Amino acid sequence: MTFMFTDIEGSTRLASGLGAEPYRVVLHRHRALIREVLRVHRGTEIETEGDSFFVAFDDAARAARAAVEIQTALRRADWPDLGLGKGPIRPRVRMGLHTGEAWPSAGGYATPEVHRTARICSAAHGDQILASAQLAAAAGLGGRSLERLGFFELRGLPGTTELVQLRAPGLPSEFPPPPIRPHRHNLPADLKAPVDRPEEYRELDRAFATHRLVTVTGLDGCGKTTLVRAWARRRVPLHADGVRYCRPGQDLGAALLQAVGRPVDAFGRALETAIDHLRHREALIVLDDVERAHGPAVERLLRECPEVTILAAGVRPLELPGEAKRALQPPPIDVAAAMLAGFCEDRGAAWTAADCRGLAASVEGFVPALRALADVTAFGSPKTALRRLRDDPVAVLDAGGRFRAAIDEAVAMISGPARAVLLELAARGDGATVDEVLDLCRQRDGSLEALVELVDVALVVIERPAMEQALYRVPTPLRWLLCGRGEPAQVPPSLARRIANVVKLDLDLVRAR
């Protein structure tokens, strides 16, 4: 069913300003004009109270045409000059339309969609026709016949409603924004302010200047979620249809529908329904914790929704055409120190970034290592943590097993050649150039592709000395886990077995080295 509510804007002020009898003349003239149009378009008048109409239609297109003709008739009608020195008095009527499921009940309709229509009407201005996107879709409206206003929260109703303004020749088209709360994003609120990472923000800005899909990759616990949420929140004003955040899980389509405030698709076509909803919208979609299995759905979303851009975060990139990959490198030491101080504050310790700077520098700002150090730093001190780190770094970092688990999970996703290159680079504390990597691994095929894999999952960091070749290096905390505290030129058999156990390398491959 399609419902229509109308009422006169400022009717109380108009009645008190005109007086009872002049207002009665205006009110009755207004009712007669509306009823004449409703008869033509088969609108059923459910209820009339004061200056308002509640009308039902069984066809959305007829309801839309009726709304336009009502506003046109009200503007063209000869309104009486009531001799009050104000000239002809034309009431300014506001209108709301919505299409949804409804069932007759005791002479009316029992459905929350009636309340939604009433809220839409109350959000309109005089002479304006507001409608839901559902009405526009059901009526087949598009192009110049409507203007999309965005998503809004309607009082007392769950979720959000996308509102459009119906337009027609001869009717005004410029109105103030609806006097209700716009819903520009669904990004979760931060429990505390995140530490700014301005270099990463600028890098994402540059990537999106030329790409529609950017993937931020790195180990679990390296801060991907915090980064993408903080950056996306800055971008909300730049996207006409806002920012939508979701975790894809097993069903990307269902997650998208929930993110945009649409009901679950009952026919198992969640992705198709989400694409239909986003097809002509200019929005940023933030997909957190994506996996390669989501790739085909993401590619289809980008192909069929040309104004949608996607920021994805995951351990590995999606490897789709046109994807810009950004591996999350360790932050600058000042930023890393502020992050470690924040982890300590979460545990009730008031250490400052200055207190934590030396400790952050000792692990090169490697965020999973900072998280692993948070407990001993908070419950002891930065000096205590630094001393213990110097004595036995592996024992300190791997207390609780979280650090090792994050590394194991990333290593389990990469190929055998990538694991071999990781082993080679871990034995070189100063890193290696591309030429040196190819030389080290000259006996193996696919060494360069293996290096790309390692960079993508942030098991290898990139250093770019001025005017020199880039260096590819295993972060020091990861080398401690793989090789112990020393920096051996070659890996002895006993240590090779240890490395194989840690990173799940094939023992035959290690012995071959």
Side-chain angles (χ1 to χ4, degrees):
M1 297 294 296
T2 294
F3 299 110
M4 172 193 292
F5 272 89
T6 78
D7 65 15
I8 297 175
E9 183 181 50
S11 58
T12 302
R13 292 192 304 274
L14 184 64
S16 61
L18 292 178
E21 183 57 26
Y23 179 68
R24 185 188 66 79
V25 174
V26 171
L27 182 63
H28 283 228
R29 176 68 170 143
H30 140 269
R31 287 178 178 172
L33 288 168
I34 290 178
R35 284 172 174 151
E36 184 177 344
V37 175
L38 294 180
R39 279 195 295 272
V40 173
H41 292 282
R42 306 206 313 260
T44 302
E45 187 178 329
I46 304 299
E47 186 176 311
T48 303
E49 182 177 349
D51 63 305
S52 67
F53 276 83
F54 170 32
V55 184
F57 295 81
D58 63 2
D59 182 84
R62 276 203 302 272
R65 289 195 297 270
V68 169
E69 290 188 23
I70 287 172
Q71 292 287 21
T72 302
L74 290 169
R75 293 182 68 82
R76 291 178 178 176
D78 293 327
W79 292 94
D81 184 340
L82 301 173
L84 303 176
K86 301 180 180 180
I89 303 297
R90 179 180 70 84
R92 301 178 70 239
V93 172
R94 54 187 186 177
M95 308 181 72
L97 295 96
H98 173 60
T99 299
E101 292 186 347
W103 297 266
S105 175
Y109 285 90
T111 171
E113 307 311 324
V114 170
H115 300 281
R116 191 176 303 276
T117 313
R119 294 285 185 267
I120 293 172
C121 178
S122 65
H125 298 280
D127 295 337
Q128 186 180 32
I129 307 170
L130 280 189
S132 65
Q134 289 92 323
L135 174 282
L141 300 179
R144 297 181 180 180
S145 64
L146 62 81
E147 176 185 354
R148 296 188 181 277
L149 303 181
F151 293 83
F152 294 84
E153 298 175 7
L154 301 180
R155 181 171 54 87
L157 294 170
T160 61
T161 300
E162 185 185 7
L163 297 183
V164 301
Q165 174 187 309
L166 271 57
R167 307 177 71 172
L171 298 183
S173 59
E174 299 296 328
F175 296 94
I180 51 177
R181 182 178 177 181
H183 186 80
R184 300 284 294 144
H185 69 84
N186 69 326
L187 292 163
D190 294 320
L191 298 182
K192 67 174 187 178
V195 175
D196 276 342
R197 300 181 68 166
E199 287 296 329
E200 283 81 0
Y201 297 157
R202 285 191 286 271
E203 187 63 27
L204 288 175
D205 289 340
R206 286 192 290 269
F208 272 104
T210 53
H211 294 78
R212 292 177 54 215
L213 170 62
V214 179
T215 306
V216 175
T217 59
L219 300 172
D220 281 342
C222 71
K224 300 185 297 295
T225 293
T226 301
L227 174 70
V228 298
R229 286 180 182 178
W231 181 83
R233 189 166 277 107
R234 295 164 174 253
R235 300 279 293 195
V236 169
L238 304 181
H239 297 273
D241 293 298
V243 174
R244 303 288 168 238
Y245 171 90
C246 69
R247 292 180 179 271
Q250 298 298 316
D251 189 339
L252 175 59
L256 284 172
L257 287 178
Q258 183 178 15
V260 299
R262 296 296 303 274
V264 175
D265 183 82
F267 299 101
R269 300 177 64 255
L271 181 61
E272 289 78 3
T273 303
I275 288 174
D276 286 343
H277 179 79
L278 293 166
R279 195 179 304 279
H280 302 295
R281 288 171 172 78
E282 196 277 295
L284 170 67
I285 307 296
V286 181
L287 302 178
D288 198 2
D289 201 19
V290 295
E291 300 175 358
R292 291 274 173 88
H294 299 125
V298 172
E299 183 174 12
R300 182 178 173 189
L301 179 64
L302 287 169
R303 290 187 185 281
E304 298 191 30
C305 304
E307 299 301 319
V308 164
T309 54
I310 296 177
L311 173 60
V315 175
R316 298 188 299 170
L318 294 170
E319 299 294 354
L320 293 177
E323 176 184 13
K325 301 184 292 185
R326 293 295 183 270
L328 193 55
Q329 300 286 296
I333 298 304
D334 288 341
V335 174
M339 294 173 71
L340 180 54
F343 298 152
C344 292
E345 185 180 16
D346 294 342
R347 292 157 174 78
W351 301 113
T352 67
D355 298 328
C356 297
R357 197 176 193 284
L359 187 56
S362 70
V363 295
E364 300 176 346
F366 194 57
V367 179
L370 297 177
R371 293 185 184 277
L373 289 169
D375 285 344
V376 68
T377 306
F379 300 126
S381 70
K383 289 184 178 180
T384 300
L386 189 56
R387 174 178 54 78
R388 295 189 62 187
L389 192 66
R390 288 169 178 164
D391 292 341
D392 192 345
V394 175
V396 174
L397 289 176
D398 203 33
R402 291 190 298 272
F403 182 67
R404 186 184 300 269
I407 303 303
D408 282 353
E409 183 176 347
V411 170
M413 293 183 178
I414 61 177
S415 65
R419 296 176 187 178
V421 173
L422 177 66
L423 179 63
E424 299 282 4
L425 288 178
R428 297 172 60 96
D430 54 352
T433 65
V434 168
D435 291 339
E436 290 169 336
V437 170
L438 293 175
D439 185 59
L440 281 169
C441 306
R442 61 184 177 275
Q443 301 302 321
R444 305 186 185 97
D445 294 328
S447 298
L448 197 56
E449 291 80 0
L451 182 61
V452 171
E453 274 193 76
L454 295 173
V455 171
D456 283 345
V457 298
L459 290 172
V460 165
V461 297
I462 307 174
E463 296 177 350
R464 302 185 185 277
M467 305 301 292
E468 299 288 341
Q469 285 194 65
L471 288 175
Y472 297 86
R473 188 171 60 80
V474 175
T476 294
L478 180 53
R479 292 184 60 251
W480 289 338
L481 191 65
L482 299 179
C483 300
R485 186 59 185 268
E487 297 179 358
Q490 292 187 346
V491 182
S494 61
L495 187 55
R497 286 192 295 272
R498 177 182 174 189
I499 296 170
N501 183 55
V502 172
V503 300
K504 301 182 178 65
L505 287 170
D506 182 74
L507 284 173
D508 292 336
L509 181 61
V510 177
R511 293 191 185 99
R513 189 199 183 289

